[in-house]
Amino acid sequence: RDGRGQIRPYTPTRVGEASQRETTNWALVLMDALRHGRFRIFFQRMQSLDAGGPLRVEVLVRLWDPVRGELIAPGQFIALAERFHLIGEIDRWMLGEVLSLIGRHPELQLQLGQVTLNLSAVSLREPGLAQQVLASIAQHGVRPDLLCFEITETQAIGNLAQAREFMQTLHDAGCRFSLDDFGSGYASFAYLRELPFDTLKIDGLFVRDMQTEPTHQAMVRSMVDMARLLDKPVVAEFVETASVAQLLRELGVQWGQGYYFHQPEPLTFDALQQQARLAQ
Ligand code: C2E
Ligand code: CA
Ligand code: CA
Ligand code: CA
């Protein structure tokens, strides 16, 4: 807070650079945002590169900054939310909002193939989360198999046994799991061995410039090979050009996601309908 007793504007500082004061400021900003409903939901379509099929989307959180009148990208605050143990509340809020939208528009359950939500590895540590998620799904009358949880590896999954139990519970109910940022995380191989992932999502940093960076292309190829051996579909993110999309298709990648197909936009019923038409 500044001298006038107001919350200072959000500082565009990344976690590593944030001073103690800025960090404390962010904690207040995030708690305030949760209390006053300042998070927003965007979504981005995943494009089938082979067979087509019903619409799949990933939902992405944003933070509304009322002082500057603009949205703040999650890269600015997710790591801090994890540090302050606020990420669980943010992830649960996202889930509740998404379920409520689908619950209000039952026709979406017929149009949608899958909705993917990001779940921080930190959220997985919260006891009782699986039961809360299941209760929330049931409360809104949503088909559990519509939901996929993408586990983001911003922090190592601390307790594999706990994570496995969480995933198994939701898996048994029909939910899907995807390993986000495959290839760049802390311990992707251990996760693959120990945890029931259905899909692998190749880190976009390798995908984006795979045409001009032979090393990145080699990494993508080896990840695709591994996924094939494990019999798991692959999503490639950060597809920004037609030529990368074509290259991925030739490699046998099933799903592409990126600005080339769809820029993330606010999640509304109408926007979903429009993307559902494009997905066919
Ligand atoms: P992510 O899950 O790897 O999401 C992909 C990010 O890449 C998104 O940024 C998306 O807007 C961006 N992107 C999409 N297409 C392209 C492209 O073609 N090129 C490039 N350069 N970027 C593209 P965003 O929305 O800023 O999200 C950043 C990260 O924040 C996410 O990375 C995810 O780790 C985290 N995050 C977002 N929403 C949530 C959430 O609700 N809960 C949790 N725990 N984490 C979230
Ligand atoms: Ca993701
Ligand atoms: Ca990712
Ligand atoms: Ca990421």
Side-chain angles (χ1 to χ4, degrees), residues 119-163:
L119 215 47
S120 160
V122 175
S123 302
L124 296 191
R125 293 181 208 151
E126 299 199 355
L129 179 67
Q131 294 314 321
Q132 284 175 36
V133 170
L134 288 178
S136 197
I137 291 172
Q139 181 203 332
H140 291 97
V142 171
R143 272 168 40 211
D145 62 302
L146 276 184
L147 300 181
C148 176
F149 295 98
E150 223 162 71
I151 308 297
T152 55
E153 258 194 275
T154 47
Q155 285 200 15
I157 299 178
N159 184 334
L160 278 179
Q162 199 180 356

Side-chain angles (χ1 to χ4, degrees), residues 58 118 150 180-182 201-204 237-238:
E58 175 178 9
N118 290 286
E150 223 162 71
D180 204 355
D181 301 340
F182 181 49
K201 190 162 196 176
I202 299 178
D203 192 317
E237 61 181 359
F238 293 16

Side-chain angles (χ1 to χ4, degrees), residues 83 173 207 242 270:
R83 199 196 288 178
V207 175
D270 289 341

